[in-house]
Amino acid sequence: MTENLTEHNIEHILVSVAWPYANGPFHVGHVAGVYIPADTFARFQRAQGNQVLMVSGSDCHGTAITVRADREGVQPLDIINRYHPSFLKTFERLGIMFDLFTTTLTPNHYAVTQELFLALLEKGYLFRNKMVAGYSESMGRFLPDRYIEGECYNCGFKRARGDQCDNCGILIDIEKLIQPHSIFDEGVVTFRETEHFFLDLPKLEPALQHWLDSGDKKSYWRSNTITFTNNWLQDGLRPRAITRDLDWGVPIPLADPAFKDKRIYVWFDAVTGYLSASKEWATRIAGNPAAWVKWWEPNPQAGANPSRAYYFMAKDNIPFHTIIWPSMLLGVGELQPPYDVVANEFMNLEGQKMSTSQNWAVWLPDIEDRYQPDAIRYYMTALAPENRDSSWSWGDFVQRINSELIGTYGNLVNRVLSFSYKNFEGRVPPRGQYSATDRELLVLMDETFQEVTQMLATAHFRDALKKVMALATAANRYLDEAAPWKQIKVDRDEAAKSLFVVIQVINGLKTLAYPFLPFSSQQIHNYLGFPEGDASGGTYAGLAGDGVIKVPATAQWQIEEVPDGQALREPKPIFVKLEDKLIEEELTRLDQQRNQV
């Protein structure tokens, strides 16, 4: 039996999760690409006994929010107050457990962002310069980049935004945008000079390159992370403006009247959120304003527990986390840059690119009530776009849940525990003498535990889940060959021993599946007769809607033997079988959604 395979020094693991714009609900692409992987990783690290701090929050200053507010004729805060609670509900329903999920509107965030700005300014990494920005002749004002669209000069995409092309992923040089126009009135956009502060990336490039070359990052960074980063570095880095002509955002902390009506640009503001959220957690949740330092100090003192920072996002955010944010941290000093940047590709829908503007998406608030959270989590992980784009398909969803999650895993648990409960007085059957076949299955469980441990530690979640399901398949094969429902008629002891062996594997599967499927793992844990608890979803704490989630620490990353004779709890089926008619119903909903646009 596997015990204490993961003994190691306790580490401080920072799980920094991309901040979503609070301008609309989550769709499955958001959650599958960012939040489920981050939660899976954090659960695994917590179960290992590491000190995990998982933080994020709603990005409230992005122009995506002001665009929506302008179109609806409301204030940005109205949009935020609509969707921030929606995020919290999705996290709670799916068991995504943050130590703190906050917003960029807090006084703490404003203060930390301004402190970082001033620190970089003092160290000579910010400078003032004039730049050309888009100006709407019809509206008589400068426009944020996202208020401008045109044809991408790199790939020819007709609806490239002024800040980024969603088709090829490049960050746009707005002056090169072909036929730029306002998204509101299609009016012509011209370009005028305006003064701003710039982050001196060329000055920071030597330190950044040294950091990129250290620690053998190519051995564990994903290929897309390396590719996006190298593409940015090929032509050398250029200064990047960090302020904009806006009235919504973090004020520039200077008395200069020239910058009174300008704001810190959202990308600088948003990445700073990882630090500000850590500090907010330390003060408001941990009750120790200095607690955050353990996750951020770059070189812990001798004997101190090591720390590593992991960042989870979609691929279009890679350069901000491998170029810009590390440069900012290196410029300030005394703050640890990322250890790993775990970026996923995109998830499509029924073979087509998801589009929020065309309402072509599977929205989480729309499916949270119709499907079990572990069913959603399972499919998202099995389909995770880790190395290439994937596509959500309702036909595939129903098929995988029924054949894999229920047929392979759920039925194994239910038939073994139900048969044992019924025929052995509600207790784990006697152990007996192991045969070579018995030992072979138990060895496979130990080997799977070690392999899954390594995969989870290196953020390979899709392959790890495959390994878990392969063990469940092997257990089913063993069970079919042993056939204890037949054995019990001629050799009760042999039947008991076979059931005992499979119960040990079910207990192992419960642990291995916990990072992926926390709700059902807790159910199985309870059915096996262990003390009841709640390691699944956590509960909101503190002020209503503040986004703080308590994280239970009941899971342990080890497999201990379930003793024979232990009292079982009467089991019930864990997962709900899905009817084929659901496929057509969901496809009809999609078409109706798109037709409403």
Side-chain angles (χ1 to χ4, degrees):
M1 201 64 57
T2 300
E3 292 189 34
N4 301 321
L5 281 180
T6 57
E7 285 186 357
H8 62 293
N9 293 329
I10 294 175
E11 299 178 344
H12 286 85
I13 303 295
L14 177 66
V15 180
S16 298
V17 193
W19 291 54
Y21 287 132
N23 72 320
F26 284 134
H27 61 59
V28 293
H30 297 135
V31 178
V34 179
Y35 303 102
I36 289 296
D39 182 71
T40 301
F41 184 74
R43 285 179 179 276
F44 163 70
Q45 293 289 351
R46 291 186 191 111
Q48 280 201 310
N50 287 324
Q51 296 295 309
V52 176
L53 178 59
M54 179 167 155
V55 295
S56 185
S58 290
D59 184 342
C60 302
H61 293 139
T63 50
I65 296 167
T66 58
V67 167
R68 182 156 195 156
D70 286 346
R71 283 176 170 165
E72 294 187 13
V74 299
Q75 295 301 311
L77 195 57
D78 295 324
I79 302 297
I80 294 160
N81 289 338
R82 184 188 310 166
Y83 292 112
H84 179 71
S86 170
F87 295 165
L88 299 180
K89 181 182 177 184
T90 291
F91 294 147
E92 186 177 30
R93 296 296 297 274
L94 294 185
I96 297 171
M97 300 194 303
F98 285 92
D99 292 282
L100 179 67
F101 187 84
T102 181
T103 77
T104 55
L105 294 179
T106 66
N108 167 77
H109 177 71
Y110 274 53
V112 174
T113 302
Q114 292 173 333
E115 288 169 6
L116 196 61
F117 178 97
L118 292 173
L120 289 168
L121 182 63
E122 180 183 354
K123 291 177 179 289
Y125 294 119
L126 299 185
F127 65 91
R128 293 168 64 155
N129 198 10
K130 290 185 177 180
M131 61 175 281
V132 172
Y135 187 87
S136 169
E137 299 292 341
S138 59
M139 301 174 73
R141 65 182 178 95
F142 285 102
L143 294 180
D145 294 341
R146 283 210 173 199
Y147 283 45
I148 301 169
E149 284 186 353
E151 182 180 333
C152 177
Y153 50 84
N154 183 60
C155 69
F157 182 57
K158 298 296 184 182
R159 295 188 59 188
R161 301 194 310 265
D163 59 346
Q164 185 170 323
C165 176
D166 286 338
N167 187 56
C168 67
I170 69 165
L171 297 181
I172 291 291
D173 181 343
I174 197 166
E175 289 185 81
K176 295 182 180 179
L177 201 62
I178 301 169
Q179 295 183 333
H181 56 270
S182 166
I183 63 172
F184 290 110
D185 60 6
E186 302 292 325
V188 174
V189 170
T190 58
F191 298 98
R192 298 186 181 186
E193 279 194 342
T194 179
E195 188 176 29
H196 286 289
F197 277 94
F198 287 72
L199 178 63
D200 197 342
L201 287 174
K203 191 174 181 179
L204 288 160
E205 187 168 0
L208 176 70
Q209 190 64 63
H210 176 75
W211 169 73
L212 287 168
D213 292 339
S214 66
D216 194 24
K217 292 178 177 57
K218 292 182 179 179
S219 68
Y220 61 90
W221 277 18
R222 290 184 179 177
S223 59
N224 61 356
T225 303
I226 295 171
T227 300
F228 270 76
T229 304
N230 288 340
N231 288 343
W232 261 57
L233 293 170
Q234 279 179 356
D235 300 325
L237 299 180
R238 292 176 293 173
R240 187 163 180 84
I242 65 163
T243 58
R244 279 291 189 271
D245 294 283
L246 299 168
D247 58 5
W248 179 253
V250 179
I252 298 167
L254 298 173
D256 192 330
F259 290 91
K260 178 182 177 183
D261 297 326
K262 301 176 191 285
R263 296 291 182 268
I264 294 176
Y265 197 25
V266 66
W267 63 259
F268 185 102
D269 162 15
V271 292
T272 304
Y274 304 121
L275 179 59
S276 70
S278 300
K279 290 187 173 183
E280 181 183 347
W281 167 85
T283 299
R284 191 157 65 88
I285 310 304
N288 176 9
W292 65 275
V293 174
K294 295 178 181 179
W295 285 270
W296 285 89
E297 55 186 357
N299 296 302
Q301 296 177 352
N305 294 330
S307 60
R308 292 202 303 270
Y310 294 80
Y311 288 75
F312 288 79
M313 72 212 60
K315 63 181 178 182
D316 54 342
N317 267 327
I318 289 173
F320 293 104
H321 294 81
T322 62
I323 301 289
I324 293 177
W325 180 230
S327 295
M328 292 164 62
L329 293 172
L330 292 167
V332 173
E334 301 178 0
L335 293 171
Q336 178 176 224
Y339 172 78
D340 197 1
V341 176
V342 184
N344 276 328
E345 301 292 309
F346 294 141
M347 179 175 282
N348 300 317
L349 173 58
E350 301 294 347
Q352 302 176 43
K353 185 175 180 179
M354 286 199 202
S355 172
T356 56
S357 62
Q358 297 179 25
N359 210 9
W360 183 249
V362 176
W363 303 105
L364 263 300
D366 190 41
I367 66 170
E368 289 163 2
D369 293 330
R370 294 203 295 274
Y371 301 100
Q372 291 177 288
D374 276 358
I376 297 173
R377 290 179 67 114
Y378 178 83
Y379 189 62
M380 285 182 173
T381 304
L383 201 67
E386 291 183 357
N387 301 311
R388 61 183 181 275
D389 288 355
S390 61
S391 185
W392 179 289
S393 162
W394 279 112
D396 187 53
F397 176 83
V398 170
Q399 190 274 331
R400 279 179 179 262
I401 298 305
N402 286 342
S403 68
E404 297 173 11
L405 188 59
I406 297 177
T408 300
Y409 184 34
N411 285 347
L412 170 71
V413 173
N414 189 59
R415 61 177 175 159
V416 169
L417 296 187
S418 295
F419 190 81
S420 298
Y421 187 86
K422 179 180 179 181
N423 290 280
F424 291 89
E425 300 178 342
R427 296 185 177 275
V428 176
R431 174 176 180 148
Q433 187 70 33
Y434 287 163
S435 68
T437 303
D438 302 330
R439 288 192 292 271
E440 182 180 334
L441 181 61
L442 294 173
V443 167
L444 177 62
M445 178 176 67
D446 287 352
E447 292 173 347
T448 300
F449 184 85
Q450 295 179 62
E451 291 171 338
V452 170
T453 298
Q454 180 61 27
M455 289 175 177
L456 288 175
T458 53
H460 292 95
F461 308 113
R462 187 171 178 168
D463 288 344
L465 183 58
K466 287 180 180 177
K467 282 287 182 182
V468 175
M469 296 305 292
L471 176 61
T473 299
N476 274 301
R477 187 164 53 246
Y478 167 93
L479 188 64
D480 290 341
E481 292 173 358
W485 47 89
K486 295 180 181 178
Q487 284 179 331
I488 199 169
K489 298 176 182 178
V490 295
D491 191 338
R492 184 176 177 82
D493 291 342
E494 184 67 14
K497 184 260 299 182
S498 298
L499 290 167
F500 179 87
V501 168
V502 182
I503 284 175
Q504 305 311 311
V505 177
I506 288 172
N507 187 47
L509 286 167
K510 168 212 73 179
T511 299
L512 290 168
Y514 165 74
F516 309 102
L517 311 173
F519 295 93
S520 55
S521 289
Q522 186 63 55
Q523 283 182 275
I524 296 169
H525 183 78
N526 295 342
Y527 289 157
L528 288 170
F530 293 111
E532 290 195 35
D534 180 13
S536 53
T539 56
Y540 289 91
L543 299 175
D546 67 358
V548 182
I549 299 178
K550 290 181 179 178
V551 180
T554 58
Q556 294 183 350
W557 195 250
Q558 61 185 34
I559 302 175
E560 298 178 308
E561 185 173 279
V562 185
D564 58 6
Q566 177 163 293
L568 300 170
R569 293 184 180 87
E570 186 174 5
K572 297 178 182 178
I574 301 169
F575 304 111
V576 177
K577 187 177 186 299
L578 303 180
E579 301 296 330
D580 288 342
K581 66 178 183 179
L582 291 173
I583 301 171
E584 189 60 36
E585 290 175 2
E586 294 292 356
L587 292 174
T588 299
R589 284 192 182 95
L590 283 177
D591 288 335
Q592 291 172 344
Q593 275 181 201
R594 188 155 55 178
N595 292 335
Q596 291 172 359
V597 176

